[in-house]
Amino acid sequence: MLHEGGHTLVVANGNVFRTFDRRGVADLYRLLREEPEFLRGAVVADKVVGKAAAALMLLGGVAELHTDIISGKAIELLHGSSLRYAYDLEVPHIINRTRDGWCPLETRCRDCRTAEECLTQIEAFIASRNA
């Protein structure tokens, strides 16, 4: 469903499947803020998961994740959690859209130790983009 529809994110909870197409963590963040019950216990398919996306999934109570690409920093955050995850390729970090450096959220969350610390960085990043 993720690849066939060209989506960036698919979230399934019970018999309800929803697809999303925005870049980055925008859809996950919106779900966490506006529809947290839909994330709780959900199965997620995502093309690319960095530490920020992993944090949002942990905070949302996602049960299972499959991703094409995951960063080592995301794996470190997920390690020891109850969220089951599988991936096709692990990379040291997520790169930015211009492919000339780190993803801004991967940079902001790099030294965060918890999902809650990541959320603070994600919110600051979103606020700076909307200012």
Side-chain angles (χ1 to χ4, degrees):
M1 204 173 182
L2 181 72
H3 296 292
E4 288 173 6
H7 305 292
T8 57
L9 176 71
V10 176
V11 180
N13 198 324
N15 293 328
V16 179
F17 289 78
R18 289 174 55 193
T19 60
F20 301 89
D21 300 306
R22 292 167 60 191
R23 298 174 113 180
V25 299
D27 290 316
L28 278 172
Y29 181 75
R30 189 196 64 72
L31 283 170
L32 180 66
R33 286 295 177 222
E34 298 174 14
E35 301 178 70
E37 68 286 347
F38 187 64
L39 283 178
R40 217 167 296 117
V43 176
V44 171
D46 198 337
K47 286 187 177 177
V48 177
V49 173
K51 192 170 184 178
L56 293 172
M57 289 183 221
L58 284 172
L59 293 168
V62 168
E64 190 172 330
L65 161 69
H66 179 80
T67 183
D68 296 341
I69 299 170
I70 193 167
S71 74
K73 294 291 184 183
I75 289 174
E76 288 174 15
L77 187 65
L78 293 172
H79 184 74
S81 75
S82 62
L83 195 157
R84 294 181 314 275
Y85 59 94
Y87 54 90
D88 296 328
L89 177 66
E90 178 185 346
V91 296
H93 58 270
I94 303 304
I95 58 173
N96 62 21
R97 291 183 187 146
T98 56
R99 305 175 89 61
D100 62 359
W102 283 48
C103 159
L105 279 174
E106 191 85 345
T107 300
R108 280 181 171 260
C109 296
R110 174 178 26 204
D111 297 324
C112 295
R113 293 183 311 276
T114 66
E116 291 79 10
E117 287 178 19
C118 290
L119 181 59
T120 301
Q121 292 299 319
I122 295 164
E123 290 174 332
F125 177 75
I126 290 171
S128 72
R129 307 264 303 181
N130 293 333

